[in-house]
Amino acid sequence: MRNPFLAGAAVVMTVAALAACGSSADGNGPEAAGAQRPAASGPAVPGPSATTPTTPATPAAPTAPATEEPAVPGPSAPPATAEGPKTPSDEITPATGTFTKKQKEYLEDRVPKGMDPAAVLQTGQETCDKLRYLVKADRDTAVGAIATQEIPDAPAAVAGLCPLHQDLVDEAAYAYADGTHTGKTVRPGVYRSASPTSNCSWQIEGAGGKELASGTSDTGKSRKITIPKSARTFTSTGCYAWLAEGAKG
């Protein structure tokens, strides 16, 4: 016959085990006491610390915010004006395939010694790709990018690789980029601003520094100005570029 005391002890132990499981499920476990489950997925949500210090922390000395140098756009290969010996034209050959006549003309006197000519060619083709994209989005911006040299070496790339954009280069030759222009570089005429910022300003001066006209614009919309024949200095800031009205490409 089983000992009744042992049987009763077994029942008590079983009930205690079930009670422990139930207390955890009903909110009496570690989570109910303040512990939290880790998130199943996704970044942690920023928020205040779970604990509060009993004494205020000493404020740290202010430090200057970290600055990051802006990326400077540029070609993947050195520009044509790069110093150093160039590969002779009769030695400019691709690793595979052949260059067209136009491509060879573009590469002549442009490939630094020891560089793959295909890399230089790719830079020119990327320039043509940028112009093709810009002219579809906004023609004035495309002309302004050439005038400001934001797209470097555009005239050479257009002449050798994408002559269909020659009208953009021709118009850019009559444009003003932001900056100060004096003397013979000041041409009279009517000009419109291309892709101005919301802080665009300009000033036109005559002989002896006499102010002939000036203005500002904070709308970001194109404005028109007239540069008279008596102008000697034209200064522009934040207007990106000024394109001549009626310029022929």
Side-chain angles (χ1 to χ4, degrees):
M1 182 173 182
R2 297 177 59 185
N3 190 322
F5 175 78
L6 294 178
V11 171
V12 171
M13 292 179 64
T14 302
V15 171
L18 292 173
C21 294
S23 65
S24 176
D26 293 338
N28 295 322
E31 291 179 27
Q36 297 180 349
R37 291 181 183 272
S41 63
V45 179
S49 173
T51 60
T52 304
T54 56
T55 58
T58 303
T63 56
T67 58
E68 183 178 349
E69 292 294 331
V72 179
S76 55
T81 55
E83 297 296 331
K86 302 293 191 300
T87 302
S89 57
D90 58 346
E91 296 179 12
I92 297 177
T93 55
T96 59
T98 59
F99 290 133
T100 66
K101 182 180 178 181
K102 279 289 186 182
Q103 290 173 339
K104 287 182 179 179
E105 290 175 355
Y106 171 74
L107 292 171
E108 187 174 353
D109 225 10
R110 305 176 66 84
V111 182
K113 199 78 170 175
M115 173 168 280
D116 182 1
V120 179
L121 179 63
Q122 181 180 356
T123 298
Q125 291 172 334
E126 288 173 354
T127 295
C128 291
D129 290 342
K130 291 175 184 176
L131 289 176
R132 182 167 58 251
Y133 169 80
L134 284 176
V135 78
K136 287 182 179 179
D138 184 78
R139 190 179 187 282
D140 280 1
T141 300
V143 176
I146 298 174
T148 60
Q149 297 184 16
E150 184 177 347
I151 298 181
D153 210 26
V158 168
L161 302 174
C162 47
L164 72 162
H165 294 316
Q166 187 61 47
D167 61 322
L168 304 178
V169 175
D170 293 342
E171 186 173 343
Y174 293 93
Y176 290 108
D178 269 342
T180 299
H181 307 269
T182 60
K184 294 182 178 180
T185 61
V186 179
R187 298 175 298 274
V190 178
Y191 294 83
R192 67 185 182 278
S193 55
S195 302
T197 69
S198 58
N199 189 25
C200 171
S201 63
W202 62 90
Q203 184 177 36
I204 304 171
E205 297 178 348
K210 179 182 178 181
E211 183 177 299
L212 302 179
S214 64
T216 61
S217 176
D218 60 0
T219 64
K221 296 181 180 179
S222 181
R223 294 289 299 271
K224 287 186 180 182
I225 61 172
T226 298
I227 299 179
K229 292 182 179 179
S230 57
R232 296 293 179 269
T233 303
F234 172 55
T235 302
S236 169
T237 304
C239 306
Y240 188 55
W242 295 88
L243 311 185
E245 286 284 291
K248 301 293 183 180

